[in-house]
């Protein structure tokens, strides 16, 4: 049976969720940087024919580490019961009930508190103010 968050319950988790989201963003950024670095090394190998195995091994080791850290942070969010919707935006949804139907309480990294909700199928573009009836 799913857990339905109240606004208060979800907001109480924000101080825990925010640093996890920042770690996710950081690890994703490092993974992208590693991919770009590996691509640049591959291009150098193709152009020069040099053996750059040690550099590639270093990049691969770093990528594995960043991926592990990313997976750990994602698991932490999952354990808290919230859903990551967009890691780059820092967008999180909390399953909730509104007028007897399932909805998401929607929060974005940097927002002071949870101010929005949306139907399950609406997404970020369908956000509506919580204080609006």
């Amino acid at each position: 049976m799913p857990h339905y968050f109240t606004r208060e319950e979800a907001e109480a988790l924000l101080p825990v969720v925010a640093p996890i989201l920042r770690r996710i963003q950081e690890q994703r950024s490092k993974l992208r940087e590693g991919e770009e670095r590996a691509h640049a090394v591959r291009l150098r190998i193709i152009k020069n024919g040099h053996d750059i195995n040690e550099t590639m091994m270093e990049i691969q080791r770093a990528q594995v580490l960043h991926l592990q850290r990313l997976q750990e942070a994602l698991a932490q969010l999952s354990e808290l019961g919230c859903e990551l919707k967009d890691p780059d935006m820092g967008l999180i949804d909390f399953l909730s009930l509104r007028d007897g139907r399932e909805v998401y309480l929607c929060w974005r990294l940097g927002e002071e508190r949870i101010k929005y909700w949306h139907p399950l199928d609406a997404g970020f573009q369908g956000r509506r103010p919580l204080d609006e009836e």
Side-chain angles (χ1 to χ4, degrees), residues 28-93:
R28 285 175 48 87
S29 176
K30 288 181 179 183
L31 281 168
R32 281 191 293 268
E33 289 169 11
E35 289 168 4
E36 291 169 6
R37 188 170 171 222
H39 180 71
V41 169
R42 282 191 288 276
L43 287 177
R44 276 191 282 158
I45 291 170
I46 291 169
K47 288 180 181 178
N48 298 330
H50 288 21
D51 183 22
I52 309 181
N53 286 336
E54 187 57 39
T55 303
M56 288 301 289
M57 293 289 284
E58 175 189 321
I59 292 169
Q60 289 173 344
R61 283 191 296 270
Q63 290 294 86
V64 168
L65 179 62
H66 297 311
L67 186 56
Q68 288 172 339
R69 289 178 179 166
L70 176 61
Q71 289 171 334
E72 289 167 4
L74 291 169
Q76 286 178 311
L77 282 183
S78 180
E79 288 171 16
L80 292 171
C82 51
E83 297 180 30
L84 178 63
K85 295 300 181 169
D86 186 325
D88 295 326
M89 287 177 57
L91 193 60
I92 297 285
D93 282 345

